[in-house]
């Protein structure tokens, strides 16, 4: 377990690979439902209850137990989970030099206060600490503005599939792919990209 502490307006610390306890699971379920119900694009559309997201959390937990996924958790002063980011390793031998970042969320009460930026920095630090990892890739739902947030954290848009996400009847959103180079060959940029 690695702890990265970052100061925000609220005391939030970032922990990589925290122990998976019943309390941690319950906190993540509540967080996931709260974020979704506040309009967050984390795999569901509102309204949802914690039990609705349990099957997805269980998939993440199984992958963590199999060491295919790492959890970066943002914890409040009382140790409750107020943010998550899941780093997922690639199984394909030609893509093992980068990881996916999934289910990035911060409790709505902390949004706009630096907790999300701290979470993104902790996730990047955790990925950099893994030998051979040179980049992070994520996807996000268009029309939410979150792509601008990721860009402010150093990610750049590298692809977009128009209308690939159906958030509701007649509500189609772009699926945006973003990339964060961490160094090494995957992180090298051309002179044109740096300008």
């Amino acid at each position: 377990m690695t702890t990265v502490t970052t100061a925000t307006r609220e005391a939030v610390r970032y922990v990589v690979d925290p122990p998976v306890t019943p309390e941690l699971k319950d906190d993540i379920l509540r967080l996931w439902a709260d974020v979704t119900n506040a309009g967050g694009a984390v795999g569901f559309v509102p309204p949802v209850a914690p039990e609705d997201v349990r099957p997805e959390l269980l998939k993440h937990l199984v992958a963590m137990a199999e060491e295919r996924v790492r959890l970066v958790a943002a914890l409040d002063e009382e140790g409750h989970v107020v943010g998550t980011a899941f780093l997922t390793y690639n199984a394909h031998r030609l893509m093992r030099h980068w990881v996916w970042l999934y289910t990035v969320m911060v409790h709505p009460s902390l949004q706009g206060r630096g907790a999300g930026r701290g979470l993104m920095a902790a996730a990047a630090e955790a990925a950099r600490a893994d030998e051979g990892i040179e980049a992070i890739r994520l996807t996000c739902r268009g029309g939410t503005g979150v792509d601008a947030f990721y860009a402010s954290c150093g990610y750049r848009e590298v692809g977009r599939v128009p209308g690939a996400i159906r958030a509701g009847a007649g509500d189609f959103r772009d699926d945006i792919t973003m990339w964060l180079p961490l160094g090494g060959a995957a992180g090298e940029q051309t002179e044109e990209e740096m300008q």
Side-chain angles (χ1 to χ4, degrees), residues 97-98 124 127-128 130 132-136 156 179-189:
H97 62 288
W98 58 270
R128 273 188 196 93
D130 277 339
I133 300 300
E134 299 177 4
I136 301 174
R156 69 179 190 263
W179 183 259
L180 177 70
L182 298 173
E188 291 176 6
Q189 295 178 316

Side-chain angles (χ1 to χ4, degrees), residues 11 16 36-37 54 72 102 112 114 128 160 167 173 184:
V16 181
T36 299
N37 290 329
R54 185 177 296 278
V72 181
Y102 287 115
R128 273 188 196 93
R160 181 181 290 251
R173 308 289 182 91

